[in-house]
Amino acid sequence: MNRARTMAAALAAAGIVTAIAACSGAAGTPASTSATTGAAAATLPGTPPGAQARWLLGAIGHQPVPAAAITAHFDQVFLGKIPAAQLNGVLAHVTSLRLDTVLTSTSEFVTLAVTDNGQPQLVSLSVDAHGLINGLELAPEPSQPALTVPTTWAGVDKQVQQAAPQTRLLVARVTGGGCHTVHAVDATTPAPLGSAFKLYVLDALARAIANGTVSWNQRLTLTSQLESLPSGNLATEPAGTQVTVMQAAEDMISSSDNTAADLLLTLVGRTAVESAAASSGMADPALDTPFLTTRELFVLKLDDWPSLASRYLALGPAGRQAMLTSTVDRVPLSALHLTPPAGWTQPRDIGTIEWFASPADICRLYASLASLSRQPGLAPVASILEINNGSLNLDPRQWSTTWFKGGSEPGVVTLNYLATTRTGQSYVVSVLAANPSAPIPQTSTVQLLGAIKAAFTLARA
């Protein structure tokens, strides 16, 4: 597929900033391999993007890369924008690249943490349908505030509550398909979820696959009516682009791709997602009826706001559904005019136009997904949720897997994890934070992450 992606090669030593438009697609997932660059060895996934990353790391050590090799590894759309000579000119400034960690990996792309001449960098690479590189990014790893990890439940509560005016927390042990509270602060009160709603779409998708109405390999076609705004890269693809259900689900969870979520929500149907929310144990499913697509939320918050939103909120569920179909779904994305840094920077209707659940609901949802993942044909549910660990990085000597889905918009940050110990015991930590008056700063998100890390340690003790 044609996945437009920006490559920012920010190389401080040369003062170069290069933008590369690229495209990407789907590929299979063979077994893992190992890769060595310089003196370091690390395990790269055996996917086509993993194989291309292995080649790239090796090629950087033997520059200039022959034009024939570049042609053999990059797709023609990419090379039409960045010819081999120009690519070599950029790579020439990368003289010593050490692979440190594989951060994310799907059948379409990998993200690697590397060290370039002692400086931390991030490398993102994607491939087209033939396994050729069509997306590549090398950029400095963004600096983060120091992570503070409290050592007591009181410290956890304080750190969570300092992040935003409205915070909810649940720490629970998942046993026998149910959630057993270890520690909680206002855990049964619903709050805005941001993109964590995509867990409900995944749950509905798994149920549809279980009953045979959908398959993982089924192909979906992007239309202009289904296109949403980023996050995610599928929004930049042309109408007619096809992805498999598996690819869309991976993108929806691992990179929070909004267009992928809308494709899947449309595939299974709005009522099916509403039904899955109820079946998974949501205490008040009416809060999410009708269940919005991301495009619908963007239109309500960006097109003639707050007038259109106020009209929508004045209606009951049936009237809202009718307005979505007759009005909201007909608004073209071009009418939204969302161009950073102008546009949507302050909270807008986060208590009324959003997706809502409580931390207790999220725990029951994770328990539902865990149960579904153990059914025949549904093992990909677990692998999809494991792609991105949400930067939690629990001690691998004690924890075997981490599931993550977060969400955000101006005034909303949610971080939701299920982690399983080496002995097989699973715990959920869900934090929902909201500020109706101001955006939540990145420092507060890091503060929440430290509290969550502490919560897993304290729950396991």
Side-chain angles (χ1 to χ4, degrees), residues 195 197-198 226-229 231 256-262 265 291-300 333 355:
S195 280
F197 85 87
K198 292 164 185 171
L226 292 174
E227 180 185 343
S228 186
L229 295 174
S231 57
S256 206
D257 193 303
N258 291 324
T259 299
D262 287 0
L265 198 159
F291 203 97
L292 295 172
T293 66
T294 67
R295 179 180 174 134
E296 289 166 345
L297 180 134
F298 284 130
V299 169
L300 288 168
L333 290 184
W355 303 273

Side-chain angles (χ1 to χ4, degrees), residues 142-154:
S143 60
Q144 297 286 356
L147 195 69
T148 301
V149 181
T151 58
T152 65
W153 286 118

Side-chain angles (χ1 to χ4, degrees), residues 97-282:
L97 206 61
R98 185 188 73 220
L99 174 60
D100 299 323
T101 310
V102 178
L103 298 175
T104 60
S105 172
T106 74
S107 59
E108 301 176 80
F109 67 88
V110 291
T111 305
L112 314 173
V114 302
T115 300
D116 175 26
N117 291 322
Q119 299 299 314
Q121 305 273 340
L122 294 179
V123 174
S124 297
L125 181 152
S126 62
V127 298
D128 66 11
H130 304 289
L132 298 175
I133 300 171
N134 58 13
L136 181 61
E137 180 178 350
L138 172 62
E141 186 171 6
S143 60
Q144 297 286 356
L147 195 69
T148 301
V149 181
T151 58
T152 65
W153 286 118
V156 168
D157 294 348
K158 180 179 179 181
Q159 201 154 306
V160 167
Q161 291 166 343
Q162 287 176 340
Q166 301 172 9
T167 55
R168 291 144 179 76
L169 165 69
L170 176 67
V171 185
R173 185 175 63 255
V174 179
T175 303
C179 296
H180 306 273
T181 300
V182 175
H183 183 79
V185 176
D186 199 16
T188 60
T189 301
L193 294 178
S195 280
F197 85 87
K198 292 164 185 171
L199 291 171
Y200 285 108
V201 178
L202 182 63
D203 190 272
L205 174 65
R207 294 169 190 269
I209 292 172
N211 66 32
T213 59
V214 174
S215 71
W216 291 113
N217 293 325
Q218 183 174 337
R219 300 193 74 81
L220 307 176
T221 302
L222 178 63
T223 66
S224 58
Q225 290 75 27
L226 292 174
E227 180 185 343
S228 186
L229 295 174
S231 57
N233 296 303
L234 192 55
T236 61
E237 304 295 346
T241 294
Q242 290 195 332
V243 294
T244 64
V245 166
M246 175 72 82
Q247 292 159 10
E250 288 179 342
D251 287 353
M252 175 180 72
I253 299 299
S254 67
S255 61
S256 206
D257 193 303
N258 291 324
T259 299
D262 287 0
L263 277 172
L264 293 174
L265 198 159
T266 302
L267 172 69
V268 299
R270 198 191 306 266
T271 56
V273 179
E274 293 166 353
S275 176
S279 298
S280 70
M282 182 183 283

Side-chain angles (χ1 to χ4, degrees), residues 295-313 323 327-328 331-338 343-344 348-349 353:
R295 179 180 174 134
E296 289 166 345
L297 180 134
F298 284 130
V299 169
L300 288 168
K301 297 203 177 193
L302 295 172
D303 183 44
D304 193 25
W305 184 86
S307 177
L308 183 67
S310 297
R311 287 169 50 201
Y312 177 80
L313 291 172
M323 183 175 170
T327 304
V328 175
V331 175
L333 290 184
S334 59
L336 304 185
H337 304 299
L338 182 63
W344 183 18
R348 293 185 175 184
D349 293 319
I353 299 177

